């Protein structure tokens, strides 16, 4: 089993929802620098068997993070250390 420790801010910056990524072009709409340094989850709920729906302290709550997406974010965070 693998365990990744991903900073909350990195996860929030990688939100896959349509408010953060243009669903037609795939271009990131969210400015990663606009995510507060002290961002944290206020709640996390299972989204079926395929991921997590996270409610953030900045009021954002529309992203669903699949397990595959979280693994990719973990890979990204590891390579940036």
């Amino acid at each position: 089993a693998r365990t990744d420790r991903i900073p909350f801010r990195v996860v929030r910056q990688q939100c896959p929802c349509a408010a953060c990524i243009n669903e037609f072009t795939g271009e990131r709409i969210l400015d990663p620098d606009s995510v507060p340094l002290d961002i944290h989850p206020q709640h996390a709920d299972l989204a079926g068997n395929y991921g997590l729906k996270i409610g953030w302290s900045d009021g954002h709550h529309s992203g669903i993070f699949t397990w595959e997406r979280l693994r990719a974010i973990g890979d990204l965070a590891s390579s940036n250390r």
Side-chain angles (χ1 to χ4, degrees):
R2 173 178 160 175
T3 301
D4 288 312
R5 294 184 184 269
I6 310 167
F8 294 141
R9 189 167 190 246
V10 172
V11 177
R12 173 65 182 92
Q13 289 170 325
Q14 295 297 316
C15 182
C17 82
C20 295
I21 295 180
N22 183 305
E23 56 190 317
F24 298 108
T25 67
E27 180 182 355
R28 179 151 301 282
I29 298 167
L30 173 70
D31 174 5
D33 292 333
S34 72
V35 176
L37 294 174
D38 63 349
I39 192 83
H40 60 276
Q42 292 186 314
H43 61 85
D45 301 304
L46 288 174
N49 289 324
Y50 60 90
L52 289 176
K53 185 170 174 82
I54 302 173
W56 296 98
S57 57
D58 66 354
H60 189 73
H61 61 272
S62 58
I64 296 176
F65 294 84
T66 64
W67 303 124
E68 292 80 15
R69 178 122 183 129
L70 288 169
R71 172 64 55 98
I73 295 170
D75 291 342
L76 176 69
S78 293
S79 68
N80 287 334
R81 288 186 189 155

